Amino acid sequence: MPTENLLFDVPGGRLAFGDGDLDIWAEHLAWCYRMMGIPDGATIAVQDFGSSPISFLGSSLLMPGLRRGVAERIEGRFICLDASAERVTLTPALLAQLAVDALVIREDVLELLSAELHKKGFAALAQRPMKTIVVFGDEPPALNPGRLQPSRHLMHVESALLLAPQCVECECFHLREGFYQVDGRIIRNLRLAAPAYDLPRGELFSPSHCAAGIRDWCIGWSARERGI
């Protein structure tokens, strides 16, 4: 399929990718993983649906028209796991057989995976030094002590082509300099054609907020906004 005709239906409309756009998006996702502390050479497992860029940008083997996915950019390995309930229940058995450095999972199936991990025979998996990254949309998930506690969160608003990783240093969500423009509470993607995004909640911190991305705007949520 020619990449200039690559179309995706998303909530609220449709996104189109032209030639080279998928590689721009994959490079940015690799940047997000590094910002969240995932080193080059890592093995990343993603529990999401195949239609999500968090999944299909994982490797050029998964997506026609993608020259270099995340795996090729970090010289690591990528494992794509479906997010259906049936597949999530199988994840603990898979993790018991594979050494995974990071598990990236949709927020809406985290509770199911947490329950499966804490069943008899899999409790030790929850104690592994594996990073868990939870992907959410407009608002960060509230703290739930009964669930698997993530190492980091990744903000993903698909309709606006917005990916903002939670920084290991400041714990806010970085809007990459040169990739996003902030005007009031409106966030625009400068590299890809996508609708502007009006941030509904949270606080915006201007550049120089964090040394890890000195020119990045950052998004932060108070404990009250997160339901803590």
Side-chain angles (χ1 to χ4, degrees), residues 110 114 118 130 132 134 143-152:
L110 179 63
S114 296
H118 285 90
M130 174 185 67
T132 305
V134 174
L143 177 65
N144 184 341
R147 298 196 307 190
L148 180 67
Q149 293 306 305
S151 305
R152 288 289 176 268

Side-chain angles (χ1 to χ4, degrees), residues 9-21:
D9 290 316
V10 297
R14 173 175 287 187
L15 295 174
F17 289 89
D19 186 39
D21 284 351

Side-chain angles (χ1 to χ4, degrees), residues 11 93 128 149 174-176 187 193 207 215:
R128 278 190 179 183
Q149 293 306 305
H174 279 243
L175 296 168
R176 187 181 181 184
I187 302 169
R215 296 183 178 87

Side-chain angles (χ1 to χ4, degrees), residues 5 40 56 105 121 182 191:
N5 295 328
D40 284 3
F56 67 67
I105 183 168
V182 177
R191 301 291 305 281

Side-chain angles (χ1 to χ4, degrees), residues 14 30 33 44 67-68 71 83 94 103 122 125 128 132 143 154 164 178 184 228:
R14 173 175 287 187
Y33 284 134
I44 301 174
R67 297 178 182 87
R68 296 174 64 226
L94 184 146
L103 173 65
F122 293 118
L125 282 176
R128 278 190 179 183
T132 305
L143 177 65
L154 175 61
I228 300 176

Side-chain angles (χ1 to χ4, degrees), residues 30-31 33-34 37-44 70-77 101:
W31 176 88
Y33 284 134
R34 292 187 178 108
I38 306 303
D40 284 3
T43 296
I44 301 174
V70 170
E72 291 80 21
R73 293 175 186 277
I74 69 169
E75 298 184 349
R77 296 192 300 170
D101 298 298

Side-chain angles (χ1 to χ4, degrees), residues 21-224:
D21 284 351
L22 290 177
D23 277 87
I24 292 173
W25 207 213
E27 187 277 330
H28 180 57
L29 181 55
W31 176 88
C32 290
Y33 284 134
R34 292 187 178 108
M35 182 64 73
M36 293 184 290
I38 306 303
D40 284 3
T43 296
I44 301 174
V46 169
Q47 190 106 56
D48 204 338
F49 296 109
S51 59
S52 168
I54 305 299
S55 291
F56 67 67
L57 293 177
S59 173
S60 59
L61 298 176
L62 299 172
M63 190 65 186
L66 176 62
R67 297 178 182 87
R68 296 174 64 226
V70 170
E72 291 80 21
R73 293 175 186 277
I74 69 169
E75 298 184 349
R77 296 192 300 170
F78 185 86
I79 303 167
C80 191
L81 307 173
D82 189 74
S84 63
E86 296 81 5
R87 295 295 184 181
V88 173
T89 59
L90 299 176
T91 298
L94 184 146
L95 294 177
Q97 300 175 54
L98 296 174
V100 172
D101 298 298
L103 173 65
V104 184
I105 183 168
R106 292 173 60 95
E107 194 274 333
D108 55 4
V109 296
L110 179 63
E111 191 163 342
L112 175 59
L113 178 61
S114 296
E116 292 297 320
L117 283 173
H118 285 90
K119 285 182 178 179
K120 183 178 179 181
F122 293 118
L125 282 176
Q127 308 303 319
R128 278 190 179 183
M130 174 185 67
K131 294 182 183 295
T132 305
I133 297 171
V134 174
V135 182
F136 67 93
D138 282 325
E139 300 181 5
L143 177 65
N144 184 341
R147 298 196 307 190
L148 180 67
Q149 293 306 305
S151 305
R152 288 289 176 268
H153 288 87
L154 175 61
M155 184 179 182
H156 178 214
V157 182
E158 192 167 3
S159 61
L161 291 180
L162 190 152
L163 282 170
Q166 187 180 26
C167 175
V168 295
E169 293 193 18
C170 70
E171 298 194 351
C172 289
F173 295 80
H174 279 243
L175 296 168
R176 187 181 181 184
E177 184 267 337
F179 217 98
Y180 295 104
Q181 179 186 65
V182 177
D183 182 9
R185 297 186 68 82
I186 301 298
I187 302 169
R188 293 182 176 86
N189 192 314
L190 298 174
R191 301 291 305 281
L192 299 167
Y197 177 66
D198 189 354
L199 183 69
R201 295 172 59 189
E203 183 177 359
L204 281 164
F205 299 97
S206 59
S208 78
H209 168 75
C210 175
I214 198 69
R215 296 183 178 87
D216 299 341
W217 283 80
C218 293
I219 304 172
W221 282 272
S222 67
R224 182 176 181 180

